Amino acid sequence: MVRLVSAILAILAVLLAIAVVIFYGDETEIQIKLPPPAIVPDHVTILDQAMLKDTVNIKGGESIASYRGLLVTGSLDGHLVAFDKDDFSIQWSVPCPPNSHGTPCRILGIRSVDDDILYGVDEHCRLFRYKNGQWTWLLDENNAALKELKPGLFNDLVIVENMVYITDSFQYNPTKHPLQRFFSFENSGRILGFNLENGEVTTMADGLYLPNGIELHFDNQSLLVAECLMYRISRLDIATRKIQPFQTQTFGAVDNIRRSIDGGYWVGIAATRLTSSYWSLPDFLAVHPKLRSVLTNKAFLPLILLYHGIFGSGPALYRMDEGGNTQKLILDDSKLTKAMAFSQVHQSDRKLFVGTPFAGKIFVFPNDEL
């Protein structure tokens, strides 16, 4: 009954938006040409209840890294949390220092160096180092160079020798909620470089559509970047700073990329496109700019989330080889995880630990069975 009422409310809201757009739609908005969805590979695994028996009960654990024999992640309430990779029990949890305004920190991207030092970025556009219980802020709101760049959301990072490369999903705009930026298809995202030796901050690439996950390519000379809004993975040459498409046909909103110990990469998908059971709202909004200008208003965000929760597609993850060819696809077509999004996939031994921003848990899949 609740589902029916919610569906009716969502439909009424869309009809209201259509009426409003006739009078208030922004004529300056343009259509966005998205690449076609990827072709479904031969090897597809549809998640069922039996595959969801192992979970780690940490809310908001998106990014995962190895650290001194354990796995660590950031929680929604602003903690750095370590858990056992075998029995999934929580081993310790420490609060991340708040920003200068006293706001708790949520870690969105985390990396381990030599299984001994952690580097991470949080939603307040800060870069930290953590070792032996000590936090060191390498970039924060007091950094002059960073202030000039006006970052909006640090999402992920990768460390290459003395450089930390960070995805800044969009430039700072206090008038817009992050979810508005997601559905509005703006391309103010960047890749920033931070030199660990001299503290210099540089812009490696700009004009990106919500860059999210980032990973070093196996050639050790280029970076793979998940352009979430454009449903593609791009490749940045570190030396020349030239960026070009790497995988242009994906299965949806690409959230994160991590190397697989078997070669290639695991890719997390926030929401799939045009699956057999669900409809892709971003695909629709891309080609209806006036309607998009209305629905991405703050007032409509709760309705957008309600609609996506009822009619939106489920998450997925897939493995691709070094050339960008899909090898395996794992699909939550029935939305059993209730995750709405799969973020980073961390492979440890023969298990896949899948981070999620909304589900309240980290999913653990046995890799040998996929």
Side-chain angles (χ1 to χ4, degrees):
M1 182 64 181
V2 173
R3 184 181 174 89
L4 176 61
V5 172
S6 299
I8 293 172
L9 289 175
I11 293 170
L12 290 175
V14 171
L15 293 175
L16 175 62
I18 293 172
V20 171
V21 78
I22 297 174
F23 300 99
Y24 298 104
D26 189 348
E27 296 286 354
T28 64
E29 290 280 351
I30 62 172
Q31 286 193 356
I32 304 296
K33 185 177 181 180
L34 298 174
I39 298 173
V40 177
D42 294 332
H43 187 103
V44 180
T45 300
I46 304 297
L47 291 180
D48 56 31
Q49 289 291 355
M51 297 177 64
L52 302 178
K53 62 183 179 65
D54 291 331
T55 59
V56 186
N57 292 318
I58 300 174
K59 190 172 184 179
E62 292 193 50
S63 188
I64 306 160
S66 300
Y67 181 64
R68 299 183 176 182
L70 300 171
L71 296 181
V72 293
T73 188
S75 66
L76 189 63
D77 62 355
H79 283 68
L80 179 65
V81 185
F83 61 94
D84 190 279
K85 61 184 178 181
D86 295 316
D87 65 14
F88 319 133
S89 61
I90 307 300
Q91 299 297 302
W92 50 261
S93 175
V94 295
C96 180
N99 66 1
S100 59
H101 302 291
T103 307
C105 143
R106 182 185 181 187
I107 299 169
L108 296 181
I110 193 166
R111 292 279 187 170
S112 174
V113 176
D114 299 326
D115 201 40
D116 186 54
I117 305 174
L118 294 175
Y119 288 86
V121 292
D122 72 3
E123 60 186 344
H124 302 308
C125 298
R126 300 187 298 175
L127 167 67
F128 69 83
R129 179 171 57 221
Y130 180 85
K131 183 177 182 180
N132 297 328
Q134 298 296 316
W135 299 84
T136 302
W137 295 102
L138 305 175
L139 281 176
D140 60 19
E141 57 268 31
N142 298 315
N143 184 279
L146 201 60
K147 282 183 178 179
E148 189 173 334
L149 288 171
K150 297 181 179 179
L153 182 70
F154 282 0
N155 227 321
D156 197 19
L157 75 164
V158 65
I159 301 160
V160 184
E161 297 178 348
N162 68 323
M163 293 294 297
V164 181
Y165 298 104
I166 303 167
T167 52
D168 177 29
S169 292
F170 37 71
Q171 278 193 297
Y172 177 69
N173 185 338
T175 66
K176 288 188 175 182
H177 188 280
L179 283 174
Q180 288 178 271
R181 322 290 288 275
F182 181 90
F183 288 107
S184 62
F185 293 94
E186 72 173 73
N187 61 337
S188 65
R190 297 168 293 189
I191 301 171
L192 304 180
F194 175 76
N195 191 308
L196 289 168
E197 294 181 352
N198 60 25
E200 183 181 4
V201 182
T202 56
T203 299
M204 301 294 296
D206 56 14
L208 305 181
Y209 291 85
L210 207 153
N212 198 333
I214 187 169
E215 180 60 288
L216 179 66
H217 190 275
F218 279 100
D219 67 3
N220 294 321
Q221 298 176 10
S222 58
L223 304 172
L224 298 180
V225 184
E227 280 194 86
C228 193
L229 284 187
M230 197 47 66
Y231 296 147
R232 70 186 176 197
I233 297 174
S234 297
R235 184 173 183 174
L236 172 68
D237 185 287
I238 295 174
T240 65
R241 302 189 185 182
K242 180 180 179 181
I243 192 164
Q244 56 188 358
F246 177 74
Q247 190 184 52
T248 56
Q249 290 181 269
T250 66
F251 299 98
V254 186
D255 194 294
N256 215 304
I257 311 167
R258 286 295 187 268
R259 289 186 179 189
S260 166
I261 62 176
D262 303 308
Y265 312 89
W266 282 105
V267 181
I269 293 291
T272 51
R273 304 175 67 190
L274 306 174
T275 65
S276 59
S277 305
Y278 299 99
W279 179 60
S280 170
L281 180 60
D283 276 89
F284 177 76
L285 293 179
V287 296
H288 295 86
K290 288 183 67 177
L291 183 58
R292 183 173 73 240
S293 71
V294 173
L295 290 179
T296 53
N297 184 282
K298 280 185 179 180
F300 282 93
L301 282 180
L303 297 174
I304 287 285
L305 292 176
L306 175 64
Y307 179 91
H308 184 72
I310 299 172
F311 299 107
S313 58
L317 58 97
Y318 66 94
R319 194 176 114 186
M320 66 177 179
D321 62 22
E322 296 176 28
N325 303 301
T326 300
Q327 298 171 313
K328 295 180 179 180
L329 173 65
I330 303 166
L331 181 63
D332 183 15
D333 196 39
S334 298
K335 299 200 290 186
L336 297 176
T337 61
K338 300 179 181 179
M340 291 177 66
F342 284 160
S343 185
Q344 185 207 304
V345 181
H346 179 85
Q347 191 171 0
S348 180
D349 299 327
R350 303 311 303 175
K351 300 186 187 76
L352 299 180
F353 292 83
V354 183
T356 62
F358 307 116
K361 61 188 70 177
I362 293 172
F363 294 95
V364 186
F365 302 141
N367 189 34
D368 291 333
E369 298 179 12
L370 300 178

